[in-house]
Amino acid sequence: MAVGSLVVACHAGPDTTPGVSWDLAEHRAGTITAVHYDLALEVPTSLDEPVQGVLTLTVDLRDGADPLVLDFTAPQGSVLGVAAPGGALPYEHVNGHLVIPAAALQRGDNQIEIGFVADDAALNRNAEFLYTLFVPDRASSAFPCFDQPDLKATYRLTLTVPATWAAVANTPAASSDTADGARTIAFGQTQPLSTYLFSFAAGAFQVESANREGRTLRLYHRETDRERVTRNLPAIFDLHAAALAWLEDYTGIPYPFEKFDFVAVPAFQYGGMEHPGAILYRASRLFLDESATQNEFLGRASLIAHETAHMWFGDLVTMAWFDDVWMKEVFANFMAAKIVNPSFPEIRHDLRFYLAHHRSAYAVDRTEGANPIRQELENLIQAGTLYGAIIYQKAPIVMQHLEQLIGAHAMRAGLREYLRTHAFANATWPDLVTILDRRSEEDLEAWSRVWVEEPGRPTVSATLETDGSGGITSLRVTQSDPRGRNLRWNQRFAVVLGYSDTLRSVPVHLSGTSAEGAASGLPAPDYVVAGGDGLGYGLFRLDARSRDYLLDHLPAIDDPVVRAVAWASLWEALLHAELPAAAFVELALRALPQESDEQNVQRILGYLRPAYWRYLLRDERSRIAPRVEALLWEELERAPNTSLKAAYFDGFVATALSPDAVARLAAIWRKEMTIRGLAMSERRYTALAEALAVRSVPDAQEILAAQLERIENPDRRARFEFIMPALSAEPAVRDSLFELLKDAQHRGHEPWVLSAVSALHHPLRARAAEHYIRPSLDLLEEIQRTGDIFFPLRWLNATLDGHSSPAAAATVREFLREHPDYPPRLRGKLLQAADGLFRAAALRE
Ligand SMILES: [Zn+2]
């Protein structure tokens, strides 16, 4: 680097390497205060013209000794000018930073005006609408800013958009003027916000509003099916209102922002994003089919509760650095689980919690790529790689343990203090541990070291000893660390002893290597399910006798949570090659007609798919297919309600293999056949057309073309057009789509890309798709750079989930071997995504 450049100063000035390094963030947090962004952006009608802006930045500098480093990752030439009230200022635009030399600044207040061209990447520009998605570090691609969560700032946004567009931002519009075919909206000043939470959306949106408990809620959307809107609106508003009321009560803090709007975005990258006052949702998660499954209804409620909980946990109090991003996610999910309860009085919420968290968390924690909940982060560029099931699913389980450990009352009091103390500011995990530690006798730091700072899970076994007459003399539970670190996970759960006609639950507090359960004198059980209450976390090994017993008798267990844990333990047995997939599928076929809890039905159907496509050998699958299809169809017809019918129908579509079943799919798609009690939506017809195409029915191309004609909504049409080539029977057409996907420009609509990639790699086409695996892995680093936070892992899952062959597994291993210095967190993602493939391939080798 050139000596004397203002970027590389000899003293320890701010770090201007690419991204936002922790050093730069810390330096700025210590020297910069009172940040205000006055931002004017002009959005032209044509997508070919750039969005231009003027930023008036006000900032207080504690000392004038260092250059001021803003983040601005738009390409060179995007800075049009920098000025202070006294005139133009010198600057450099380098490494994604806009650097203004110290000599041009003064100690104390500075006002700096910057003209710029915004990069489109985080503006998600479409012909008829755009929306910002800045988390975790993309605000700096759209405008110059201090892109770190602990420099909270106030914002005043003025947006000029085509005259017919609606616009929504964090605060209400203060004024709106239309002139010369353009509309200029000035939004009110925000509360202090982190850059990743600043947001706006604009476009051809319709607006619905409702009043709930004196508060106006507003929904912006592009749904063209009026009936679909009308049917879903009351629930959408009610769920938000219920979540708001619950959170105000739990936190003791009134909703902290000016207004409450949300936007249903077609093909939104995530389920939702918690911009204060302007939450963005994926439209399909809000507007459900009349024939949605119970999981979809519950999922919508959880998502709404999750994003609403963020208004307090994340938006009001924000992590200081993204290493603690898990904190906002854990509280959002943990609160969501509590919030949703009253809206669904008919469901077992302990079962819901177990099913919604443990399986996904185990899917990461059993792999070589498992990561801890809290991960170090040296540069914000890498923040996207922190996200995943460990943050979203394991952390809430751990939080449930913490609540159990210190008591619900202390937990709530501690969280209230935490929110009050750090309102409109930032806090770290150690800040919260300190607050909670004062309210508890437990050593929370030691607890946190194992559960929060380390990856993995314990292997837990229960051993019974009996006397000559068959009575229990001891019940011993032991844990071990499969990673050889000798960690001990402190937790409480029940060991369930199962008898032909009853269950006994023996509480255990496992903190050291082993613990005794008070079971002496009880008769010896037929089977033992450690962690059977669904509260424990670990690999709960079944002994051989219990496994055999459950294979015969699982459906007869009285308690739905014990059944769910038993299923999970059998699934682990399958993955550990202790149980043939065929036996697992046979049990599923016997269990489904007897399963009385709809949540468990959906879970069993969820296990059935990978067991069927990935773990059965091809011959086994062909042999059993007619029975699977017949059973699913029978249960579909027998199901007493629409949501259960929907679950069976989706299961049938996913597994249909025999010519008879495929012909039935075709007849339904042609509307020659209907299913009593299940209204077919456009979404289901689209899914059918896709299913028929990957099964290479002779008239697949006509079906796809006809389906495209059937779709009226422009956003859904565009999606279907995008993925059609991935469904083609012609390998050359599929190849050309894959070639297109190598260019980031064609990966803008991430949900579309994932649908297309999954179709390319459907198990029925897996062999023909093996040659996409290596280039897909080669793209991974670029995908991490250009895509949004969940995209790298989802890209990998979409690529690998359809595969089970040793050749596919070898391709992944070879890639890992050839890249010994691959970025560790990305390597972790690959190992997570490849775990099922490795296991399936090992069974075949
Ligand atoms: Zn969240």
Side-chain angles (χ1 to χ4, degrees):
M1 274 189 221
V3 177
S5 152
L6 59 88
V7 176
V8 184
C10 290
H11 76 286
D15 176 10
T16 51
T17 50
V20 179
S21 69
W22 196 80
D23 287 343
L24 173 62
E26 195 190 27
H27 181 273
R28 290 196 300 212
T31 53
I32 295 172
T33 55
V35 183
H36 173 75
Y37 301 100
D38 206 312
L39 187 61
L41 285 172
E42 264 185 58
V43 180
T45 309
S46 163
L47 285 175
D48 299 329
E49 291 172 44
V51 173
Q52 294 206 20
V54 176
L55 167 69
T56 307
L57 168 73
T58 317
V59 62
D60 191 317
L61 302 178
R62 272 190 205 154
D63 64 52
D66 289 312
L68 183 65
V69 179
L70 286 138
D71 308 315
F72 189 46
T73 59
Q76 287 299 316
S78 301
V79 181
L80 304 178
V82 178
L89 295 182
Y91 67 89
E92 265 199 330
H93 187 200
V94 62
N95 286 344
H97 298 292
L98 174 58
V99 185
I100 301 168
L105 303 162
Q106 59 190 30
R107 207 178 155 143
D109 271 351
N110 286 266
Q111 190 179 316
I112 299 161
E113 193 177 287
I114 304 167
F116 62 93
V117 177
D119 189 68
D120 280 349
L123 298 179
N124 298 284
R125 292 180 72 189
N126 290 269
E128 292 192 342
F129 65 99
L130 88 170
Y131 60 92
T132 65
L133 184 57
F134 290 157
V135 66
D137 62 341
R138 295 266 160 93
S140 51
S141 70
F143 65 99
C145 59
F146 306 109
D147 211 353
Q148 62 188 73
D150 60 346
L151 272 178
K152 286 197 175 183
T154 51
Y155 298 77
R156 203 181 274 278
L157 170 67
T158 306
L159 208 52
T160 302
V161 295
T164 54
W165 284 20
V168 53
N170 301 103
T171 49
S175 70
S176 170
D177 294 300
T178 306
D180 302 329
R183 196 169 152 226
T184 299
I185 306 120
F187 294 93
Q189 180 165 316
T190 68
Q191 305 267 26
L193 300 180
S194 301
T195 42
Y196 81 92
L197 291 170
F198 169 67
S199 179
F200 60 87
F205 285 105
Q206 300 177 58
V207 189
E208 318 284 340
S209 66
N211 199 288
R212 292 288 189 280
E213 285 150 50
R215 183 182 279 121
T216 300
L217 307 176
R218 222 174 278 108
L219 164 61
Y220 292 72
H221 70 89
R222 290 175 47 75
E223 179 55 66
T224 45
D225 178 348
R226 193 63 222 174
E227 198 274 325
R228 195 179 180 82
V229 174
T230 312
R231 177 161 37 79
N232 281 290
L233 268 187
I236 294 171
F237 286 127
D238 287 346
L239 288 165
H240 278 101
L244 281 166
W246 193 96
L247 283 152
E248 289 188 330
D249 178 62
Y250 185 90
T251 63
I253 299 173
Y255 173 66
F257 299 98
E258 293 83 353
K259 50 114 183 173
F260 199 96
D261 295 345
F262 42 100
V263 188
V265 179
F268 187 59
Q269 288 89 325
Y270 320 147
M273 180 62 208
E274 68 266 23
H275 307 120
I279 301 172
L280 303 188
Y281 288 106
R282 186 181 298 182
S284 60
R285 297 288 302 271
L286 293 184
F287 295 118
L288 300 184
D289 283 356
E290 202 174 352
S291 56
T293 63
Q294 188 189 52
N295 268 352
E296 288 166 331
F297 284 114
L298 285 166
R300 174 173 70 182
S302 298
L303 175 64
I304 287 172
H306 177 107
E307 303 307 340
T308 307
H310 271 315
M311 299 300 123
W312 286 259
F313 297 97
D315 294 2
L316 177 64
V317 178
T318 310
M319 65 276 168
W321 184 239
F322 266 82
D323 57 346
D324 272 331
V325 65
W326 70 278
M327 278 179 79
K328 75 181 178 75
E329 298 311 331
V330 66
F331 285 118
N333 263 2
F334 184 63
M335 297 300 155
K338 293 174 184 283
I339 291 167
V340 165
N341 291 10
S343 300
F344 295 85
E346 73 285 5
I347 79 153
R348 278 281 298 258
H349 288 283
D350 51 352
L351 178 61
R352 163 78 181 154
F353 188 90
Y354 177 77
L355 292 175
H357 295 94
H358 286 67
R359 187 187 57 86
S360 306
Y362 291 161
V364 176
D365 251 352
R366 78 165 69 89
T367 75
E368 286 174 65
N371 56 275
I373 289 177
R374 191 166 198 240
Q375 303 170 79
E376 282 192 11
L377 178 67
E378 57 291 341
N379 192 308
L380 263 186
I381 288 187
Q382 300 291 330
T385 62
L386 303 178
Y387 289 79
I390 293 301
I391 283 183
Y392 285 92
Q393 275 85 30
K394 183 180 180 180
I397 298 169
V398 169
M399 212 41 72
Q400 190 186 48
H401 287 183
L402 180 61
E403 189 181 46
Q404 208 185 24
L405 201 64
I406 68 174
H409 182 78
M411 180 87 156
R412 172 170 161 153
L415 287 175
R416 284 179 166 204
E417 182 186 340
Y418 163 82
L419 289 172
R420 266 198 320 272
T421 310
H422 302 286
F424 293 111
N426 303 81
T428 64
W429 170 237
D431 290 335
L432 178 59
V433 170
T434 306
I435 288 174
L436 294 177
D437 233 345
R438 281 202 298 272
R439 298 167 189 274
S440 166
E441 304 290 294
E442 299 281 341
D443 181 355
L444 294 188
E445 266 179 56
W447 170 88
S448 167
R449 259 196 307 282
V450 176
W451 282 106
V452 177
E453 314 275 351
E454 292 284 346
R457 58 180 183 168
T459 303
V460 180
S461 316
T463 319
L464 283 178
E465 277 171 36
T466 52
D467 59 25
S469 60
I472 297 175
T473 53
S474 94
L475 166 61
R476 175 168 289 270
V477 180
T478 56
Q479 65 168 321
S480 61
D481 179 358
R483 293 167 173 257
R485 296 159 300 183
N486 272 323
L487 294 183
R488 299 290 172 259
W489 286 260
N490 182 353
Q491 59 176 328
R492 293 164 205 265
F493 53 82
V495 176
V496 170
L497 307 179
Y499 305 87
S500 58
D501 55 349
T502 187
L503 297 169
R504 278 178 192 273
S505 195
V506 181
V508 175
H509 181 186
L510 187 59
S511 56
T513 313
S514 70
E516 287 289 327
S520 292
L522 294 174
D526 296 315
Y527 62 94
V528 180
V529 182
D533 56 354
L535 294 178
Y537 186 83
L539 170 57
F540 293 99
R541 303 297 297 259
L542 292 171
D543 61 80
R545 181 162 172 258
S546 297
R547 190 170 67 233
D548 291 346
Y549 187 91
L550 289 170
L551 278 176
D552 286 334
H553 302 287
L554 192 162
I557 298 176
D558 227 13
D559 186 303
V561 176
V562 180
R563 288 200 300 278
V565 177
W567 272 111
S569 295
L570 289 173
W571 179 248
E572 295 282 358
L574 184 161
L575 295 180
H576 289 84
E578 295 164 356
L579 177 66
F584 188 92
V585 172
E586 289 290 348
L587 177 61
L589 295 185
R590 272 191 297 117
L592 282 168
Q594 298 177 59
E595 181 53 62
S596 55
D597 192 294
E598 193 166 338
Q599 298 189 75
N600 275 337
V601 169
Q602 291 178 97
R603 184 80 294 284
I604 298 167
L605 290 170
Y607 285 128
L608 185 60
R609 287 182 207 187
Y612 181 84
W613 286 114
R614 180 169 248 176
Y615 295 101
L616 285 181
L617 302 177
R618 191 216 275 261
D619 292 349
E620 294 178 306
R621 184 162 54 243
S622 309
R623 242 189 336 266
I624 208 168
R627 284 177 49 221
V628 172
E629 294 158 355
L631 184 279
L632 296 180
W633 191 262
E634 216 168 281
E635 292 305 309
L636 158 65
E637 296 199 307
R638 209 171 65 93
N641 61 50
T642 306
S643 59
L644 195 55
K645 277 184 192 293
Y648 276 112
F649 181 74
D650 293 347
F652 182 82
V653 176
T655 44
L657 193 60
S658 73
D660 275 359
V662 176
R664 196 171 294 180
L665 297 186
I668 300 168
W669 180 81
R670 287 184 209 291
K671 306 187 179 179
E672 295 162 5
M673 186 177 176
T674 55
I675 300 163
R676 201 154 41 89
L678 187 74
M680 291 294 292
S681 61
E682 179 196 277
R683 185 176 67 95
R684 285 221 159 76
Y685 282 120
T686 304
L688 274 176
E690 293 173 19
L692 289 164
V694 294
R695 282 160 181 78
S696 301
V697 295
D699 50 352
Q701 213 45 47
E702 290 95 271
I703 290 176
L704 292 175
Q707 185 58 34
L708 181 64
E709 285 310 304
R710 283 187 188 177
I711 301 174
E712 284 170 18
N713 179 283
D715 302 319
R716 290 195 284 272
R717 260 185 82 95
R719 172 200 175 266
F720 195 70
E721 244 172 334
F722 182 88
I723 65 165
M724 270 172 69
L727 298 160
S728 170
E730 295 293 331
V733 175
R734 304 203 297 268
D735 286 352
S736 60
L737 175 70
F738 184 74
E739 284 304 311
L740 277 185
L741 295 179
K742 289 181 177 173
D743 181 349
Q745 227 188 320
H746 298 288
R747 298 194 300 261
H749 293 92
E750 291 180 358
W752 300 1
V753 174
L754 295 173
S755 295
V757 173
S758 292
L760 289 175
H761 293 274
H762 188 279
L764 289 168
R765 289 181 171 169
R767 181 156 302 175
E770 275 175 12
H771 69 288
Y772 302 138
I773 295 179
R774 178 59 196 243
S776 299
L777 303 184
D778 289 332
L779 275 173
L780 186 58
E781 280 185 274
E782 185 198 310
I783 280 189
Q784 195 256 312
R785 265 197 316 278
T786 56
D788 280 299
I789 50 186
F790 300 109
F791 198 45
L793 182 63
R794 288 180 182 169
W795 168 267
L796 288 172
N797 286 335
T799 299
L800 299 178
D801 276 355
H803 293 275
S804 50
S805 74
T811 303
V812 177
R813 292 207 194 276
E814 188 178 280
F815 177 85
L816 287 165
R817 246 194 328 274
E818 286 175 14
H819 295 84
D821 300 322
Y822 205 62
R825 278 192 295 268
L826 219 44
R827 181 188 170 83
K829 298 270 183 237
L830 178 51
L831 287 167
Q832 292 168 21
D835 186 73
L837 167 60
F838 289 163
R839 290 177 195 274
L843 292 176
R844 284 167 170 78
E845 265 162 0

